[in-house]
């Protein structure tokens, strides 16, 4: 069944407005109303510093003015601990680097440097407003991306350069061998586009997957299932149940992956996941545990996923599949 243009646009923008797990696709008017209400609530929610030992901030760094950086506010409190790096693809491949602000601040508060392309276009301290991205008329695509996979990858280049740049507040503070890429919805496709980069140690795909029907309905991004063959690291898919418009694509990706260890976590939270919950909700906890396990070798964090008696195995709200470990 094909959704209308607005429904597909909202879904790929990373909206939480889609069906919340009942398996029924809402109408276009209902989608638009849900999205309006959800965005208003999100914009009113204050930034939070995260629950980790290093309260986080978000900022535009003048040396990377077209990205939003999330980091511990007081870098000196890190002591000898180095920052692992997460580069992020925004929902809808938008230029709103604050679209997952609760999620990314939570991760940063645990000793990470998270980097998203774009500006601060949402939240109470938004400095700009989202720009319209008209459909590419006559081609069948629904909307055009505002950021690209190259913009996401630019965060890696910047972090590595800052680690060695004289005068940088990050000089000697970044673990350049602990780099991950993740993204939500269309941003998850961007994550897959750069997953083959040998500097990357792991990948997280949120509410996304390569189009199972072979289509590419987004102007500016072209992905095929063969992209999965470029994977060289463990990968985590987090999906929102059958009410998540990306569920068929993400589950199909997972089924096709044979060359690297893979985990699929699925729960009835819809396409928007828990990104608009305080501190990023449950999904931020999953992502953090995965990063701590894959980048830092944290055995305690691994228990959420690994073994027959894993933490998620016993959580009735979530279903987990895993292979290759």
């Amino acid at each position: 069944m094909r959704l209308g243009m607005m429904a597909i646009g909202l879904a790929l923008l990373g909206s939480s407005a889609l069906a919340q797990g009942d398996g029924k696709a809402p109408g276009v008017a209902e989608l638009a109303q849900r999205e309006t209400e959800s965005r208003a609530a999100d914009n009113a929610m204050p930034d939070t510093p995260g629950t980790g030992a290093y309260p986080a901030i978000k900022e535009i760094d003048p040396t990377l003015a077209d990205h939003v950086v999330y980091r511990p506010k007081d870098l000196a409190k890190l002591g000898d601990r180095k920052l692992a790096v997460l580069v992020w693809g925004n929902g809808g491949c938008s230029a709103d680097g604050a679209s997952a602000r609760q999620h990314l601040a939570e991760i940063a508060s645990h000793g990470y440097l998270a980097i998203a392309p774009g500006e601060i276009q949402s939240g109470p301290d938004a400095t700009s407003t989202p720009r319209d991205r008209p459909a590419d008329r006559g081609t069948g695509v629904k909307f055009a991306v505002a950021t690209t996979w190259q913009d996401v990858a630019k965060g890696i280049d910047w972090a590595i350069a800052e680690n060695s740049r004289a005068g940088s507040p990050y000089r000697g503070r970044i673990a350049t061998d602990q780099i991950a890429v993740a993204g939500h919805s269309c941003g998850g496709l961007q994550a897959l586009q750069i997953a083959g980069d040998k500097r990357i140690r792991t990948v997280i795909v949120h509410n996304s997957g390569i189009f199972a029907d072979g289509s590419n309905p987004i102007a500016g991004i072209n992905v095929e299932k063969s992209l999965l063959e470029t994977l060289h690291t463990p990968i985590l898919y987090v999906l929102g149940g059958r009410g998540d418009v990306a569920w068929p694509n993400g589950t199909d990706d997972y089924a096709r992956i044979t060359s690297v260890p893979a985990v699929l976590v699925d729960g009835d939270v819809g396409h928007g996941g828990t990104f608009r919950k305080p501190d990023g909700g449950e999904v931020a906890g999953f992502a953090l545990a995965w990063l701590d396990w894959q980048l830092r070798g944290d055995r305690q964090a691994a228990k959420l996923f690994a073994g027959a008696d894993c933490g998620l195995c016993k959580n009735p709200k979530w279903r987990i599949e895993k292979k290759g470990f």
Side-chain angles (χ1 to χ4, degrees):
M1 178 176 63
R2 290 188 173 273
L3 297 176
M5 181 180 294
M6 183 181 294
I8 293 177
L10 288 171
L12 292 171
L13 280 169
S15 166
S16 61
L18 290 171
Q20 298 297 306
D22 59 6
K24 298 178 182 178
V28 171
E30 184 180 353
L31 273 172
Q33 180 61 30
R34 288 188 193 178
E35 177 62 8
T36 297
E37 293 172 356
S38 182
R39 285 193 183 278
D42 179 55
N43 284 333
M45 184 181 295
D47 286 348
T48 52
T51 65
Y54 313 102
I57 60 170
K58 75 175 189 297
E59 64 182 2
I60 303 291
D61 190 294
T63 64
L64 190 67
D66 53 358
H67 285 64
V68 180
V69 174
Y70 299 76
R71 65 167 177 89
K73 181 177 182 179
D74 188 350
L75 294 173
K77 287 188 176 180
L78 290 165
D80 294 333
R81 184 184 181 92
K82 292 194 174 185
L83 295 163
V85 179
L86 175 68
V87 292
W88 179 261
N90 304 319
C93 299
S94 76
D96 184 7
S99 61
R101 59 195 173 93
Q102 304 286 350
H103 181 97
L104 296 178
E106 172 63 15
I107 290 172
S109 76
H110 291 266
Y112 284 80
L113 181 65
I115 309 165
E119 306 165 302
I120 300 173
Q121 297 181 347
S122 58
D125 61 344
T127 55
S128 63
T129 56
R131 294 180 294 276
D132 290 336
R133 295 168 296 157
D136 188 355
R137 299 187 184 282
T139 67
V141 298
K142 306 308 177 185
F143 66 86
V145 302
T147 59
T148 67
W149 67 265
Q150 290 95 335
D151 296 320
V152 177
K154 185 177 178 180
I156 300 176
D157 299 333
W158 176 79
I160 292 174
E162 285 297 289
N163 187 59
S164 59
R165 181 175 68 83
S168 169
Y170 300 105
R171 184 178 175 88
R173 293 190 180 276
I174 296 174
T176 56
D177 60 344
Q178 297 177 13
I179 298 174
V181 62
H184 178 224
S185 193
C186 181
L189 299 180
Q190 292 178 328
L192 287 169
Q193 284 182 297
I194 66 171
D197 189 318
K198 298 304 181 183
R199 299 173 296 180
I200 290 170
R201 290 274 306 279
T202 194
V203 181
I204 307 177
V205 176
H206 293 274
N207 310 96
S208 187
I210 299 169
F211 302 101
D213 63 1
S215 66
N216 277 286
I218 311 169
I221 188 167
N222 192 343
V223 290
E224 298 178 348
K225 292 293 184 181
S226 59
L227 195 60
L228 300 174
E229 298 172 9
T230 68
L231 294 170
H232 66 97
T233 71
I235 184 169
L236 170 66
Y237 278 79
V238 183
L239 300 176
R242 292 181 181 271
D244 179 353
V245 72
W247 190 89
N249 300 331
T251 53
D252 184 69
D253 276 10
Y254 175 79
R256 291 172 183 257
I257 293 171
T258 59
S259 60
V260 297
V263 171
L264 169 66
V265 176
D266 187 27
D268 288 334
V269 293
H271 189 62
T274 65
F275 289 102
R276 291 177 179 174
K277 299 291 186 181
D279 300 313
E282 285 184 278
V283 170
F286 303 163
L288 177 64
W290 179 265
L291 294 171
D292 281 348
W293 178 24
Q294 296 300 321
L295 298 183
R296 291 173 165 159
D298 187 323
R299 293 180 179 274
Q300 190 63 35
K303 291 180 180 179
L304 189 65
F305 307 95
D309 197 36
C310 71
L312 281 167
C313 302
K314 298 181 290 187
N315 189 331
K317 292 178 59 178
W318 298 88
R319 178 180 64 87
I320 182 170
E321 296 183 35
K322 46 197 172 179
K323 58 186 176 182
F325 289 95

